[in-house]
Amino acid sequence: MATKLPIIISTADGSSSSAAVAMKSESSLTPVQRLMSSCIGATVTALCVTPLDVVKTRIQAQQKESLMNNNNNQSSVRQSTTNTRPIGSAGGVGNGRQFGQTFKMFIKMSRTEGLTSLWSGLPPTLAMVIPGMGVYFTSYDLFRVHLNKQFGYINRYQPLWVPIVAGSVARTLAAVIISPLEMIKTKMQSQLFTYGELALALRHMIRVQGYRSLWTGITATILRDAPFSSIYWAVYETMKQHAFGSPVEPTVPVSFICGASAGTVAAIVTHPFDVVKTHRQIEMGSTSGGGASGVYRTSALLAHIYRETGARGVFTGITPRLMRVAPACAIMISTFELGKTYCRQYNDSKLT
């Protein structure tokens, strides 16, 4: 039997209104109002958490370089029968503790590259997250309301599968649209690229591999983002409506706690695909093409990383990602819900 989440709206005196009023409150929001709420939330979130995203990407880039060096060393061993250094020794992933420790990476980047390096790729990040989150959150909200109407769940209950399906479809749509911008952002964060160097790399990649290469890593991105979205919205809606008994218009603290918790759970489950995506996108514009990710499909690359570095390897960068995802989800959903609340109040004021 499907788990059902009650949809309730509390009136000013604390009593519960009818489901019809609840649906009217949801339907009163226009797509433009939803879009505005999500875009404002995306801007605030990007400015706050970009440094954590940069650190996560840099740590995963160090892991990729170590895997490439290890593969080259193993080839030399077969030719010269000389023992190679195991991963974890100096220069390997294990020695990347100076990079593997999140705060050490912050300090190192600030000292050696300047404080502004922590916001590397901010312009493409803003160019990506504003339309991306706009499409994502607006689509999710519209899909969710449509499914509730289509299957007759507006009378009282919203089953758990509704946020799962709506979240997955909305996130897949957004991922396809913004994948080229995310690749540019990842490349800029993994190394200190000027815009001129990045443009050259892009032209070289398109000339050699075609325009489809702009969607390099899209499979790993969807494998990461679609399940992430399904898990996130399932946990968020469950906590919001069950654990906190929150109405359709939750308070900011409720949204913040539910968003951070849902984001943490979803990030842990889907992080291995984030590692694979980063490995593939870092190779964008590479002339060598000899990286480990260049010769493996997503599942095979994940298995390769696991064989070389163990479970710790497939969760490389999990600490900075959690430090980024939890507050990002909390800030984004809180701003989004707050924006929708103001829009509902505005709509109601026009009717009175």
Side-chain angles (χ1 to χ4, degrees), residues 155-313:
N155 293 328
R156 185 172 177 81
Y157 292 106
Q158 173 182 276
L160 190 59
W161 69 264
V162 170
I164 291 176
V165 172
S168 179
V169 173
R171 191 59 197 172
T172 299
L173 176 63
V176 171
I177 292 174
I178 67 173
S179 181
L181 288 171
E182 183 166 7
M183 181 190 296
I184 293 172
K185 181 205 72 170
T186 301
K187 192 67 175 178
M188 291 189 70
Q189 290 178 347
S190 65
Q191 300 178 42
L192 281 178
F193 272 81
T194 66
Y195 285 101
E197 292 170 338
L198 189 62
L200 288 174
L202 276 171
R203 285 198 294 269
H204 172 79
M205 181 185 66
I206 293 172
R207 185 172 63 251
V208 174
Q209 303 175 33
Y211 282 97
R212 291 183 61 182
S213 60
L214 291 173
W215 280 266
T216 298
I218 186 62
T219 300
T221 299
I222 293 175
L223 287 173
R224 178 199 65 178
D225 287 357
F228 179 97
S229 185
S230 296
I231 296 168
Y232 172 79
W233 288 112
V235 174
Y236 176 77
E237 297 285 359
T238 300
M239 289 187 66
K240 184 181 76 170
Q241 300 186 59
H242 272 201
F244 290 91
S246 176
V248 171
E249 297 181 10
T251 62
V252 171
V254 168
S255 297
F256 195 92
I257 294 171
C258 293
S261 302
T264 298
V265 173
I268 292 173
V269 173
T270 61
H271 187 74
F273 294 109
D274 183 72
V275 174
V276 172
K277 176 201 70 86
T278 301
H279 277 231
R280 290 200 184 283
Q281 292 186 336
I282 287 172
E283 288 188 346
M284 185 270 293
S286 172
T287 56
S288 63
S293 58
V295 295
Y296 293 109
R297 292 183 181 273
T298 297
S299 58
L301 176 56
L302 193 58
H304 171 74
I305 295 172
Y306 179 80
R307 285 195 305 270
E308 294 290 331
T309 61
R312 184 176 179 179

Side-chain angles (χ1 to χ4, degrees), residues 296-351:
Y296 293 109
R297 292 183 181 273
T298 297
S299 58
L301 176 56
L302 193 58
H304 171 74
I305 295 172
Y306 179 80
R307 285 195 305 270
E308 294 290 331
T309 61
R312 184 176 179 179
V314 297
F315 284 94
T316 298
I318 185 65
T319 298
R321 187 176 185 220
L322 288 177
M323 290 176 63
R324 170 194 174 277
V325 167
C329 289
I331 294 168
M332 181 66 210
I333 194 64
S334 298
T335 310
F336 180 62
E337 295 281 17
L338 185 61
K340 291 201 301 179
T341 298
Y342 278 120
C343 289
R344 288 192 191 98
Q345 293 173 351
Y346 172 76
N347 293 342
D348 291 341
S349 69
K350 290 177 65 177
L351 297 175

Side-chain angles (χ1 to χ4, degrees), residues 25-43:
S25 178
E26 279 289 283
S27 300
S28 68
L29 291 172
T30 66
V32 173
Q33 289 174 329
R34 288 183 166 94
L35 183 62
M36 289 175 57
S37 299
S38 58
C39 288
I40 292 171
T43 302

Side-chain angles (χ1 to χ4, degrees), residues 118-167:
L118 294 173
W119 278 269
S120 298
L122 182 59
T125 296
L126 289 174
M128 177 186 71
V129 300
I130 292 176
M133 286 298 177
V135 171
Y136 174 36
F137 273 72
T138 302
S139 298
Y140 169 76
D141 231 30
L142 292 173
F143 286 155
R144 180 178 60 81
V145 171
H146 174 73
L147 289 173
N148 282 323
K149 286 182 178 180
Q150 187 71 23
F151 291 92
Y153 297 125
I154 63 173
N155 293 328
R156 185 172 177 81
Y157 292 106
Q158 173 182 276
L160 190 59
W161 69 264
V162 170
I164 291 176
V165 172

